[in-house]
Amino acid sequence: MPLTDAVSNPPWANAAIFVTAGIVVWFAGVRLTRNLETLAARLRIDRVFVGMLLLGGITSLPEVANVATASVMGNPALAANNLLGSAAINVVLLAVADAWLGRPAVTGIVARPSTMMMATLCMLVLIAVALAITIGDLEVFGVGVGALAICALSIGCFRLATGYDARSPWRIETDEIERGTKDAEDTPVATPALWLRVAIDGSLIFAAGYALSQTGDAIAEQTGIASALVGFALIGLATSTPELATILTALRLHRPEMAFGQVLGTNFVNLSLILLGDALFAGGPIINELGAFEVVSALLGAALIGIFLVGLLEHRDRTVLKMGYDSAAVILLFALGLGLLSTL
């Protein structure tokens, strides 16, 4: 039952592969987060940096596989909607984790200003995506100017957010930063062995995430769900499974900055992949294949991040149904946005 032709598999077989891959992604994501937390404590690496670059980059591997496959097969809308769906769903997963753990509001325990900088910049990139789709794109040297600009903007914003804590004029009390953030207990495992474990877990996430995206696409086609909604909701959720595992683990380790950094760092990486899809799609600029559905998707992701940004600025521990007010608003807005998207 090859994954490259998953539609020919029986629905029960695709469902079994989907569930198995999800379990693999979950356990690999948990181990990945714990190993990276140990490395960060041992090597004194900033947790925001670990979340943005290492966790964000590794958990974006399923999106790389899905975007490449969909673009080569001539379905750029599926590729783009996977990226935009993941960008929104990743933010929702923060709210879900907030409710799941039932601890103080997640935005009430984040103390580093770099988190707010990342949120603001990620909103700008998503708005730029919506603007590019509205205006249209021009092809230069085989790729779209808009796709190239979005990739450059994503990388630039990623770079700007890195190290912002050191440059920021904000002054946060030391006890607030360290409140409830004891270093993870170091293990006797040597540092090279820890890096090897990270590589193994990343490989498992890539392989299982690819299986999730392919079987999820096949299940959607077999059940007759609209292609755009498939890319945004089902495939976006499937390829975001690693993020849920890593977010929950980071929050259990009392590392909210790592959780936010992982979500927003993943979004930066994912949005830059529009250029990859553009380069692999033979039908012209990928942005010209998109429309109102993708514009609303991008703006929905920006609005969800904006709600959390307000919560970060308020910095209060106000909860409802065991989650922060902002988390509840994120889940509600996402549900309304999904309803709107289903009508487009």
Side-chain angles (χ1 to χ4, degrees), residues 91-166:
V91 181
V92 175
L93 292 180
L94 271 172
V96 171
D98 192 12
W100 190 334
L101 295 177
R103 296 177 179 177
V106 66
T107 51
I109 58 176
V110 173
R112 296 189 181 276
S114 56
T115 305
M116 290 178 281
M117 172 63 84
M118 284 187 292
T120 304
L121 293 174
C122 195
M123 289 175 62
L124 292 177
V125 176
L126 283 165
I127 293 172
V129 172
L131 182 62
I133 297 171
T134 303
I135 295 175
D137 204 357
L138 297 174
E139 186 173 357
V140 177
F141 302 117
V143 295
V145 175
L148 188 61
I150 291 169
C151 182
L153 181 62
S154 299
I155 296 173
C157 289
F158 190 100
R159 178 67 183 86
L160 182 61
T162 302
Y164 177 70
D165 286 327

Side-chain angles (χ1 to χ4, degrees), residues 21 32 63 109 119 189-190 220 240 247 252 268 270 281 317 341:
L32 175 68
E63 281 84 357
I109 58 176
V189 180
S240 292
I247 289 168
R252 285 196 179 107
F268 284 131
N270 286 351
F281 177 57
D317 182 19
L341 288 170

Side-chain angles (χ1 to χ4, degrees), residues 193-262:
L194 284 174
W195 282 117
L196 178 60
R197 290 183 180 184
V198 168
I200 293 173
D201 290 335
S203 299
L204 288 173
I205 288 174
F206 175 78
Y210 178 71
L212 281 172
S213 66
Q214 296 303 299
T215 54
D217 187 21
I219 291 170
E221 186 171 336
Q222 290 168 341
T223 55
I225 306 175
S227 178
L229 199 59
V230 168
F232 182 86
L234 185 59
I235 308 303
L237 179 61
T239 55
S240 292
T241 304
E243 281 80 358
L244 178 58
T246 55
I247 289 168
L248 282 169
T249 305
L251 292 179
R252 285 196 179 107
L253 292 171
H254 305 289
R255 299 297 183 190
E257 285 86 2
M258 181 183 286
F260 270 93
Q262 188 265 330

Side-chain angles (χ1 to χ4, degrees), residues 229 232 292-297 300 334 336-344:
L229 199 59
F232 182 86
F293 186 97
E294 290 76 22
V295 170
V296 174
S297 300
L300 175 61
F334 180 75
L336 294 174
L338 200 58
L340 174 60
L341 288 170
S342 67
T343 66
L344 294 178

Side-chain angles (χ1 to χ4, degrees), residues 63-83 210 214 217 273-287 289-290:
E63 281 84 357
V64 173
N66 190 68
V67 168
T69 303
S71 298
V72 169
M73 294 178 64
N75 195 348
L78 181 65
N81 281 301
N82 174 25
L83 298 176
Y210 178 71
Q214 296 303 299
D217 187 21
L273 293 177
I274 292 176
L275 180 61
L276 173 64
D278 202 19
L280 295 177
F281 177 57
I286 191 174
I287 287 177
E289 303 294 322
L290 310 179

